[in-house]
Amino acid sequence: MKYKVTGKTVIARIDRGEEIVSSIINICKNEKINLGKVSAIGAVNRVKIGLFKTGEKKYYSDILTGEFEITSLLGNVTTMDGEVYLHLHINISDSTFKTFGGHLDEAYVSGTCELFIDVIDDHVGRKFSEEVGLNLLDFDGR
């Protein structure tokens, strides 16, 4: 992975074989990013995506392998318990143009991934909600 910071934006190239989520976490730690917007496109060959069933308060995930284009990767950077917390969603399409999408847990680059992080000079944390069963945005906590 290579990246550069220009103004309040990080522009990164994540290379073949590298994992996207851990690369974003590394950038955020290195650049001390506590709040931001993430967007990316590229190609991957192994993706773990998930879905949270709100009625069950349970998370389900699956691993997809093959050649996929990232048609959209969007999300945000916040913090929880002093650590970088990513909330990312991905849409991918296969060679028949069938699309898959969900919460992104991990993805391995097969060609390249072009990533942008728009840094916001502020802080928003996360706090677990018993009612919802998720880590929700917390505007009061750190």
Side-chain angles (χ1 to χ4, degrees):
M1 170 185 62
K2 294 195 181 295
Y3 72 89
K4 71 181 270 184
V5 179
T6 177
K8 294 187 181 296
T9 302
V10 176
I11 304 166
R13 185 190 76 219
I14 303 172
D15 295 318
R16 180 180 292 181
E18 295 179 320
E19 200 282 310
I20 294 172
V21 176
S22 61
S23 296
I24 297 170
I25 290 171
N26 288 336
I27 291 170
C28 291
K29 286 181 177 180
N30 289 343
E31 299 301 322
K32 298 177 178 35
I33 299 170
N34 293 316
L35 186 61
K37 298 183 295 183
V38 176
S39 62
I41 55 174
V44 292
N45 56 14
R46 183 178 187 277
V47 182
K48 184 177 180 184
I49 58 175
L51 170 77
F52 183 77
K53 290 193 176 182
T54 55
E56 297 178 29
K57 295 185 184 176
K58 189 171 178 184
Y59 188 77
Y60 294 88
S61 63
D62 201 359
I63 295 172
L64 304 174
T65 58
E67 291 298 319
F68 301 101
E69 285 287 332
I70 299 172
T71 58
S72 178
L73 188 162
L74 299 171
N76 58 57
V77 179
T78 55
T79 61
M80 186 167 178
D81 299 325
E83 295 294 321
V84 172
Y85 187 101
L86 301 179
H87 187 182
L88 304 171
H89 286 205
I90 192 167
N91 287 308
I92 56 175
S93 111
D94 66 13
S95 62
T96 66
F97 309 108
K98 182 176 178 183
T99 58
F100 304 89
H103 179 85
L104 177 60
D105 293 319
E106 64 182 33
Y108 290 87
V109 176
S110 60
T112 190
C113 176
E114 299 172 352
L115 171 82
F116 288 71
I117 303 172
D118 294 319
V119 180
I120 301 168
D121 288 332
D122 206 336
H123 183 276
V124 174
R126 295 259 174 189
K127 184 176 181 182
F128 182 75
S129 166
E130 290 286 341
E131 178 185 350
V132 180
L134 294 170
N135 299 320
L136 302 181
L137 293 174
D138 180 19
F139 300 102
D140 300 321
R142 290 225 173 232

